[in-house]
Amino acid sequence: LPEISIEPSLKEICFNDSVALTAQNGISGKYKWNHNGANTDDVVVIPNKVGENIYSVTGYDIHGCKNTGEVSITVNALPIVKIDGEAYVCRNENAELTASSETATSFQWIDNGTGIGNDAIFKPTISTDDSTFVVVGEDGNHCKSTAEFVVYAKEHPTLSYRTNTGKDTVCLGSPVVIYMSGADEYVWESNNSTESSYSEVINSETQFTVYGTTNGCSSDTTITISTWNLPVFGIDGDSVICLNDTAKLFTYAKDENSVLTYKWKHNGNTNETTYESPTSTKNYFATATDINNCKSEESFEVKVNPLPTDIKIEGERAVCLDSTVTLTVSGSAIDYQWGNGAVGTTIDAAIVSKDSTFYVVGTDKNGCSYKTSYKVASIEHPNLIQNAPDSVCFGSKINISIKGAAEYVWDD
């Protein structure tokens, strides 16, 4: 009988691989493969089970004698490979993928047919909406299998903000409140606050950095708050007045290019000028507002000096009509002006009417004046009536009587 044999291209293969079998020692074209009935010398088979797979062929010699040959093909199982990692990763950040297998001893990460890494752990950057990663695991029998893993990109939040004023510039020394939106959670770098809003008094240009997070993805933004200078102005006017006088006060911008509006605190007056008559020393406050609605406040003191009300006139209260009276003034004033134009502390005044009132204005060292008066009554001269004969004999005694006065003095 012919010694029919089968020559395999490989005696040991991996599952799903193919092997070529060649029948030998028979007449060419006179073979019959038992697994599929083919009459060819060569066949290619893909074993369908792991372990030993027997293939046989019947061959004939030139005498028509036949015999059967067989071959054993060992099929090794493929390694089971898997990939673990996060399926959702923030865009442009790295995913961490780990390949594992109970039987594979080496791994090769593949991108478009090109090897991109041979470690079990692979950290690709996720830049597209979804990315598929493939790893090939190989065991000690050089059998390989692949695993795939899809990573989806999560978007970073787009942060936006607004301020309580609607502007990124505020008046120097004013508070600003920043309201954030676009994320679920926030952290302010300056104080680790986790609120969605932040407030602070701005005394110079200030930058605020805030981090926003949504679904584990973070973005940051830096907000710059600038400042407007406060308006610079002054108050001027009458800083010292006397009681009952009126002080003129007015505001003015120290920068001639400034456009300011004003408001006096004590009366709400919005004019640049105000007229005031305080009864004691007093501070007056005004607020200036510029075109940016920035405000500043200044004050101005008006000192009120008292009047020299202690001045008084002394002298006779009643004198004879057409006579002269002497009046003297005294007090804290240093200058005196009498109503008749006389100056000084003493005057001699004629009494020419029934009653006479004399006025004097005293002015003290502060220039404050006070007017006082003094009334002098006039006394009428008596109207004497005599009772006596118009003529008598020489040497005769005459009797004369007088009336009309209270006291009499005879001049004989």
Side-chain angles (χ1 to χ4, degrees):
L1 295 176
E3 294 182 3
I4 303 300
S5 64
I6 301 173
E7 183 67 28
S9 59
L10 294 169
K11 287 188 175 183
E12 187 174 344
I13 64 172
C14 298
F15 186 70
N16 288 335
D17 285 351
S18 63
V19 61
L21 304 178
T22 302
Q24 295 179 339
N25 301 323
I27 297 175
S28 178
K30 294 295 185 177
Y31 295 102
K32 184 176 182 179
W33 294 93
N34 296 330
H35 70 283
N36 63 1
N39 298 119
T40 60
D41 295 355
D42 303 304
V43 294
V44 177
V45 296
I46 300 175
N48 59 7
K49 67 185 180 71
V50 173
E52 185 180 30
N53 290 261
I54 304 298
Y55 293 92
S56 63
V57 66
T58 299
Y60 296 86
D61 62 12
I62 59 175
H63 304 292
C65 296
K66 66 178 181 178
N67 200 359
T68 300
E70 64 179 29
V71 68
S72 175
I73 305 298
T74 300
V75 177
N76 295 315
L78 299 180
I80 298 174
V81 179
K82 68 174 183 177
I83 301 173
D84 294 310
E86 291 185 82
Y88 295 89
V89 175
C90 302
R91 187 182 295 275
N92 297 323
E93 294 186 7
N94 292 335
E96 183 169 314
L97 306 180
T98 302
S100 62
S101 171
E102 292 184 357
T103 56
T105 58
S106 65
F107 300 96
Q108 179 72 50
W109 295 90
I110 305 297
D111 182 19
N112 293 324
T114 302
I116 55 175
N118 53 16
D119 293 328
I121 297 177
F122 181 50
K123 297 181 179 180
T125 300
I126 306 304
S127 58
T128 58
D129 290 345
D130 56 81
S131 304
T132 300
F133 297 94
V134 178
V135 69
V136 177
E138 183 176 349
D139 62 14
N141 297 315
H142 302 292
C143 293
K144 300 178 181 180
S145 63
T146 62
E148 291 186 355
F149 193 87
V150 179
V151 179
Y152 299 93
K154 296 189 296 183
E155 297 299 332
H156 293 272
T158 301
L159 301 181
S160 60
Y161 72 94
R162 65 179 178 85
T163 66
N164 58 317
T165 63
K167 300 178 181 178
D168 290 350
T169 304
V170 299
C171 301
L172 188 67
S174 297
V176 67
V177 183
I178 304 173
Y179 301 94
M180 297 302 303
S181 60
D184 295 333
E185 300 175 354
Y186 302 93
V187 176
W188 296 85
E189 187 177 71
S190 57
N191 65 353
N192 292 322
S193 170
T194 57
E195 299 296 326
S196 61
S197 63
Y198 185 87
S199 63
E200 186 170 308
V201 175
I202 306 301
N203 293 309
S204 62
E205 183 176 280
T206 305
Q207 290 186 328
F208 301 93
T209 299
V210 61
Y211 302 89
T213 303
T214 298
N215 295 327
C217 297
S218 297
S219 299
D220 65 84
T221 187
T222 298
I223 303 164
T224 300
I225 303 297
S226 303
T227 59
W228 287 308
N229 290 327
L230 301 182
V232 180
F233 78 106
I235 304 175
D236 207 347
D238 299 319
S239 60
V240 180
I241 64 171
C242 299
L243 183 65
N244 299 330
D245 285 351
T246 298
K248 177 183 178 181
L249 308 180
F250 60 91
T251 55
Y252 64 96
K254 292 186 177 181
D255 180 355
E256 62 181 13
N257 296 319
S258 297
V259 178
L260 305 179
T261 58
Y262 302 96
K263 185 175 183 178
W264 294 91
K265 187 176 181 179
H266 64 286
N267 60 7
N269 187 349
T270 56
N271 296 325
E272 293 182 1
T273 302
T274 186
Y275 295 90
E276 304 299 329
S277 299
T279 58
S280 61
T281 297
K282 184 176 180 179
N283 280 314
Y284 290 90
F285 297 85
T287 299
T289 304
D290 63 14
I291 58 175
N292 297 315
N293 203 36
C294 295
K295 303 177 185 295
S296 61
E297 185 178 85
E298 293 290 344
S299 65
F300 189 83
E301 182 184 79
V302 177
K303 180 181 179 181
V304 178
N305 288 318
L307 303 182
T309 57
D310 61 339
I311 63 174
K312 65 178 181 178
I313 302 173
E314 294 179 315
E316 295 182 78
R317 284 293 184 179
V319 296
C320 297
L321 188 63
D322 297 325
S323 62
T324 299
V325 64
T326 298
L327 302 178
T328 301
V329 64
S330 62
S332 59
I334 58 174
D335 293 309
Y336 297 95
Q337 177 76 46
W338 295 88
N340 61 0
V343 295
T345 58
T346 303
I347 61 168
D348 293 320
I351 304 302
V352 296
S353 61
K354 182 177 181 181
D355 292 310
S356 298
T357 300
F358 298 91
Y359 298 91
V360 67
V361 176
T363 303
D364 63 14
K365 62 181 180 179
N366 296 316
C368 297
S369 299
Y370 182 75
K371 182 178 181 181
T372 190
S373 62
Y374 192 83
K375 188 174 183 180
V376 178
S378 62
I379 303 173
E380 295 286 346
H381 290 279
N383 183 21
L384 298 180
I385 300 174
Q386 65 178 357
N387 182 17
D390 292 335
S391 62
V392 295
C393 295
F394 183 77
S396 297
K397 183 178 180 181
I398 188 172
N399 185 22
I400 302 173
S401 64
I402 299 296
K403 63 179 180 180
E407 297 179 359
Y408 304 95
V409 176
W410 295 89
D411 183 8
D412 56 1

